[in-house]
Amino acid sequence: MQFRTQIPISKSNSPIDYNSKILSVGSCFAENIAEKFDYFKFQNETNPFGIIFNPVSIEKIFRRVCALDFYQEKDVFFHNERWHSYEAHSDLSNSDRQELLETLNKAITETHKQLKEASHIIITYGTSWIYRNLETEEIVANCHKVPQKQFSKELLSAEVIQQSIQNTIDLIQTLNPNINFIFTISPVRHIKDGFIENQLGKSHLFTALHKTFDFRLSTFNYFPSYEIMMDELRDYRFYNEDMLHPNQIAIDYIWKLFSENYIAENSILTMNEVDEIQKSLRHRSFNPESEQHQKFLAKLQQKINMLGEKLPHIKF
């Protein structure tokens, strides 16, 4: 008797290996997956402008990056003793305006270069709900705790999202026509929008994504992280204490399915080697000065050196 369902996942036609260069952008779940790439020492860059949830704000970032449209003083504002950009996460905010501008413009330059060199881009959409600045009528990526009366809250239609996704694809392909896209919808529940509103916002993302292009094309992939969380892991024991974010067990499970279908088979052995080294590096000896521990460290360093000879970009 079957007590659970399993989401069918198509294997990627262009799997990720240790020569791949990956750029991950989007919601906080993008960072969960990126942490796995970092742990296994893939060549990965994540959210250079911080966590961004909605499709239009992600499009705006790529529009700047692809055009090398640098930030100026008029693009930042002062609030609560810090300078902010409505296009970036508050993690980038700074008490010094010039330092913020330098950080933002460095992110543009580096992301432009990374995008031209990337083999894969992973875009994780979080919500269709957006906040619009009433003064400028611009959609913001982050409100930075500015009073809510200065914004209107709106639900993007599936049509607007579809056009925004297509714009994002066109911008990226202009810079890098050979890049492989992996899209996913974040399993994080945006309950601050409301329970019904969260589902409504996710549904617009689904509709827009699946209308934008044919996932049977080799350069486009859809990974069902939201569906896995909602169906295979449909229990609150797979959530953090806030009951909104997947916990480590859920993240590990989703990563397992991702790696089985999106990582090249010839990279699995290397992943196992990296995992073994990572676990050894975390080992704490009761007697660090002992001969046995010194032999352990020498053997570990030998493994690191051998892996570094094969893949020079891997650093521990």
Side-chain angles (χ1 to χ4, degrees), residues 3 17 29 49 85 114 119 153 215 227-228 290 297 315:
F3 287 102
D17 60 26
F29 187 72
F49 296 86
S85 166
Q114 289 158 2
S119 59
K153 183 178 179 181
F215 282 111
E227 294 87 334
I228 294 166
S290 68
L297 292 177
K315 309 290 182 187

Side-chain angles (χ1 to χ4, degrees), residues 174-188:
T174 299
L175 205 60
N176 184 345
N178 298 316
I179 199 166
N180 294 283
F181 290 85
I182 301 173
F183 290 94
T184 190
I185 292 175
S186 170
V188 177

Side-chain angles (χ1 to χ4, degrees), residues 24-32 47-62 85-91 122-131 139-145 153-156 161 164-165 168 183-193 198 201-206 208-209 226 242 244-246:
S24 303
V25 296
S27 86
C28 45
F29 187 72
E31 307 222 331
N32 295 146
N47 276 343
F49 296 86
I51 294 167
I52 300 177
F53 297 100
N54 76 78
V56 172
S57 292
I58 290 174
E59 177 197 344
K60 286 168 81 171
I61 285 296
F62 281 114
S85 166
Y86 277 130
E87 295 182 13
H89 193 270
S90 53
D91 283 351
I122 303 174
I123 301 179
T124 306
Y125 293 121
T127 183
S128 304
W129 290 96
I130 57 95
Y131 288 89
I139 293 172
V140 303
N142 196 298
C143 294
H144 301 291
K145 297 185 178 178
K153 183 178 179 181
E154 303 170 22
L155 178 67
L156 296 173
I161 297 170
S164 182
I165 294 171
T168 300
F183 290 94
T184 190
I185 292 175
S186 170
V188 177
R189 300 157 70 222
H190 290 257
I191 298 304
K192 285 184 180 178
D193 295 326
N198 171 63
K202 298 288 189 187
S203 68
H204 282 209
L205 293 174
F206 283 119
L209 258 180
Y226 180 86
D242 63 5
L244 304 177
H245 292 78

Side-chain angles (χ1 to χ4, degrees), residues 234-296:
R234 51 164 72 199
D235 192 297
Y236 280 115
R237 73 179 184 273
F238 297 116
Y239 284 88
N240 280 334
E241 289 180 3
D242 63 5
M243 299 298 175
L244 304 177
H245 292 78
N247 63 18
Q248 196 58 52
I249 295 171
I251 292 167
D252 290 346
Y253 181 79
I254 293 171
W255 167 256
K256 175 178 177 289
L257 296 182
F258 181 91
S259 58
E260 286 174 354
N261 293 281
Y262 287 84
I263 304 293
E265 288 184 17
N266 60 10
S267 294
I268 301 299
L269 186 61
T270 303
M271 286 176 67
N272 292 336
E273 289 179 44
V274 172
D275 186 38
E276 185 180 332
I277 291 171
Q278 292 279 39
K279 288 174 179 174
S280 296
L281 287 169
R282 294 178 181 183
H283 173 71
R284 293 291 174 263
S285 173
F286 288 113
N287 186 3
E289 305 302 322
S290 68
E291 183 181 349
Q292 183 182 10
H293 185 64
Q294 295 307 310
K295 287 180 179 178
F296 168 81

Side-chain angles (χ1 to χ4, degrees), residues 24-227:
S24 303
V25 296
S27 86
C28 45
F29 187 72
E31 307 222 331
N32 295 146
I33 294 300
E35 284 171 5
K36 291 293 188 182
F37 281 125
D38 292 341
Y39 176 85
F40 287 105
K41 299 298 180 180
F42 285 91
Q43 299 180 78
N44 173 62
E45 298 293 337
T46 313
N47 276 343
F49 296 86
I51 294 167
I52 300 177
F53 297 100
N54 76 78
V56 172
S57 292
I58 290 174
E59 177 197 344
K60 286 168 81 171
I61 285 296
F62 281 114
R63 195 168 293 282
R64 271 197 187 273
V65 166
C66 292
L68 290 173
D69 179 14
F70 294 108
Y71 290 90
Q72 302 173 33
E73 290 186 1
K74 65 180 177 62
D75 299 317
V76 298
F77 68 97
F78 193 70
H79 178 69
N80 280 345
E81 301 182 10
R82 289 175 73 78
W83 290 92
H84 311 273
S85 166
Y86 277 130
E87 295 182 13
H89 193 270
S90 53
D91 283 351
L92 279 73
S93 298
N94 199 299
S95 57
D96 184 279
R97 178 172 62 183
Q98 196 56 39
E99 285 186 15
L100 171 60
L101 288 171
E102 287 174 5
T103 299
L104 290 169
N105 290 331
K106 183 181 178 183
I108 287 177
T109 303
E110 290 182 350
T111 308
H112 184 92
K113 181 175 182 292
Q114 289 158 2
L115 201 55
K116 288 177 75 172
E117 297 174 354
S119 59
H120 295 77
I121 182 164
I122 303 174
I123 301 179
T124 306
Y125 293 121
T127 183
S128 304
W129 290 96
I130 57 95
Y131 288 89
R132 190 184 298 275
N133 186 307
L134 294 175
E135 183 181 351
T136 63
E137 297 189 351
E138 290 288 325
I139 293 172
V140 303
N142 196 298
C143 294
H144 301 291
K145 297 185 178 178
V146 172
Q148 196 165 349
K149 64 183 180 181
Q150 296 187 28
F151 305 93
S152 64
K153 183 178 179 181
E154 303 170 22
L155 178 67
L156 296 173
S157 69
E159 291 73 24
V160 168
I161 297 170
Q162 182 180 349
Q163 186 59 58
S164 182
I165 294 171
Q166 188 60 60
N167 292 344
T168 300
I169 292 167
D170 292 344
L171 286 163
I172 293 169
Q173 286 186 326
T174 299
L175 205 60
N176 184 345
N178 298 316
I179 199 166
N180 294 283
F181 290 85
I182 301 173
F183 290 94
T184 190
I185 292 175
S186 170
V188 177
R189 300 157 70 222
H190 290 257
I191 298 304
K192 285 184 180 178
D193 295 326
F195 285 89
I196 296 170
E197 289 81 358
N198 171 63
Q199 293 297 90
L200 184 60
K202 298 288 189 187
S203 68
H204 282 209
L205 293 174
F206 283 119
T207 302
L209 258 180
H210 288 275
K211 277 188 173 181
T212 303
F213 42 75
D214 188 342
F215 282 111
R216 290 172 295 184
L217 298 174
S218 60
T219 53
F220 296 102
N221 290 276
Y222 176 74
F223 178 68
S225 56
Y226 180 86
E227 294 87 334

